[in-house]
Amino acid sequence: MVAASQENAMEKKQDSRKILLSIDNLRVWFELRRFGFGHAGYVKAVDGVTFDVHQGETIAVVGESGCGKSSLMKTILALHKPTEGKVVFEDKDIAELTDEEMHGYHSRVGYVQQDPYGALPPFMNLKRILEEPLIVGGVKSSEERMKRIYKAMEEVKLTPPDDFLQKYPHMLSGGQQQRVVIARAMIMEPKFLVADEPVSMLDASVRVEILKLLRGLQESHNLSVIYITHDLSTVSYFSERIFVMYAGNLIEKAQVRQILDNPLHPYTRALLTGTSEPDAKNAETFKELPPGEPPSLVNPPTGCRFHPRCSQAIKGVCDVKFPPDFEPEPGHLVSCWLYEEE
Ligand code: SF4
């Protein structure tokens, strides 16, 4: 078993692909202000998160609503500033990018939102929606812009493109709207994609199609993807590793099959109870999710943040000491005192 300090070295040893994105001890805290009384504490949305993403790697970040996964995603997209720690993309700390470099960063990182209708400007037709990032990204030739628009529409299977270019978002189905969102995310030919619950608001009938589309794009463009979801049943479509997030911390990190076949953290086991993943061999043995809500991120519990809901909590240990990462099997990291070396 290993402590967290050895984790990055281990990830580098196990995967020879180039590291594209490094998250280093990231904390994202939001200050609470009480009218008339000033500072009233912090919402600790992300609290000490470290991981690397390799070129072409796909990672699913899973957890309940309010666990901090959206704040993590927005910090990677440079929409929030880190309170502490770094987001390093292609060896550059994004907090130190100039305005011009930040434009370049946003071209290299695509974003697929959860709600396609809300993500698309209602008064723009598809041509304008897809052309705007190209203009902002400095593609001056209108001929080149149209070439890229046609290519992106064909890639997301909005074909023939001429049938769609003059349409407005409300004239499309939910699945077609999400294809436009994906085309817009891909139009600057990014290296990295953040997909925030990209199928959770779609009809069940089109979810698989959209996941297959994302998988195809990931493979053909060798994209790195962070797929944010609360639904473990969809992660095996295109994720190599799963990171489980709880109350601002990553509490389990491993290859998809390791987690689906042998979840170690009591919280991950509880999450898997509700999944329809057909190959989760141990599903019938998982305990039900304990009663209670995720803890307050303003005053999280001492020790392990899951201890108030955990049926296996060790009194005097779990409620006192924060668990580091242990590695009970190669490449499978879990933050839980049950796996402390004897
Ligand atoms: Fe449960 Fe303790 Fe493990 Fe936390 S550290 S998940 S409370 S057993």
Side-chain angles (χ1 to χ4, degrees), residues 11-301:
E11 285 185 6
K12 280 166 192 154
K13 202 165 83 184
Q14 286 169 352
D15 196 325
S16 57
R17 290 172 292 185
K18 183 185 158 211
I19 290 173
L20 188 65
L21 179 85
S22 264
I23 306 292
D24 183 15
N25 197 26
L26 185 69
R27 289 194 158 75
V28 185
W29 293 6
F30 301 103
E31 189 176 12
L32 287 175
R33 297 198 70 81
R34 196 182 293 134
F35 184 71
F37 295 94
H39 176 75
Y42 293 95
V43 178
K44 296 169 183 171
V46 179
D47 204 19
V49 164
T50 296
F51 63 90
D52 291 333
V53 184
H54 301 83
Q55 180 67 59
E57 187 179 24
T58 50
I59 289 174
V61 179
V62 302
E64 292 168 282
S65 298
C67 71
K69 55 191 192 304
S70 293
S71 297
L72 173 63
M73 171 201 72
K74 285 182 178 163
T75 311
I76 292 170
L77 291 166
L79 302 174
H80 293 326
K81 284 197 171 141
T83 309
E84 221 178 279
K86 289 180 192 171
V87 177
V88 177
F89 184 80
E90 293 185 319
D91 301 325
K92 280 197 170 173
D93 182 348
I94 65 167
E96 293 172 3
L97 298 181
T98 62
D99 289 350
E100 196 180 333
E101 287 171 332
M102 187 54 82
H103 267 306
Y105 177 66
H106 282 136
S107 301
R108 295 166 93 73
V109 180
Y111 177 29
V112 178
Q113 291 93 331
Q114 179 180 19
D115 172 12
Y117 189 68
L120 297 172
F123 302 112
M124 285 190 188
N125 63 22
L126 265 57
K127 176 179 174 292
R128 281 190 64 198
I129 289 170
L130 295 177
E131 194 170 24
E132 194 175 67
L134 293 167
I135 294 170
V136 173
V139 181
K140 293 202 166 58
S141 153
S142 62
E143 197 182 325
E144 173 64 18
R145 291 200 296 269
M146 286 315 297
K147 208 167 110 191
R148 291 224 209 163
I149 289 169
Y150 275 84
K151 182 172 173 243
M153 291 181 78
E154 273 156 14
E155 282 195 315
V156 301
K157 308 214 166 21
L158 284 171
T159 52
D162 288 329
D163 285 0
F164 290 93
L165 281 172
Q166 300 307 320
K167 288 191 173 168
Y168 290 81
H170 72 272
M171 299 161 83
L172 305 174
S173 68
Q176 288 172 332
Q177 287 167 1
Q178 194 57 302
R179 288 173 194 272
V180 178
V181 171
I182 294 168
R184 184 176 62 178
M186 292 298 300
I187 202 127
M188 291 301 291
E189 300 176 354
K191 288 183 138 190
F192 192 92
L193 205 62
V194 177
D196 179 17
E197 308 252 14
V199 295
S200 66
M201 295 188 74
L202 301 178
D203 289 344
S205 57
V206 293
R207 281 184 197 169
V208 173
E209 281 176 41
I210 296 295
L211 286 171
K212 280 185 178 163
L213 171 65
L214 284 167
R215 172 80 205 193
L217 290 170
Q218 185 275 322
E219 286 175 351
S220 59
H221 292 259
N222 194 29
L223 279 173
S224 306
V225 179
I226 289 191
Y227 169 49
I228 310 273
T229 183
H230 65 276
D231 181 5
L232 270 162
S233 70
T234 61
V235 296
S236 55
Y237 273 103
F238 68 99
S239 301
E240 290 172 55
R241 285 192 290 163
I242 299 178
F243 296 168
V244 182
M245 194 160 188
Y246 186 80
N249 303 134
L250 295 183
I251 48 124
E252 187 162 0
K253 293 184 262 186
Q255 298 292 318
V256 168
R257 289 277 30 122
Q258 286 179 309
I259 288 202
L260 294 181
D261 293 349
N262 184 29
L264 298 177
H265 198 285
Y267 175 69
T268 312
R269 292 181 186 179
L271 269 187
L272 274 163
T273 306
T275 182
S276 55
E277 160 61 40
D279 299 327
K281 290 177 192 153
N282 301 329
E284 68 281 4
T285 67
F286 301 154
K287 293 182 170 68
E288 291 293 328
L289 196 64
E293 298 290 320
S296 156
L297 296 177
V298 180
N299 290 306

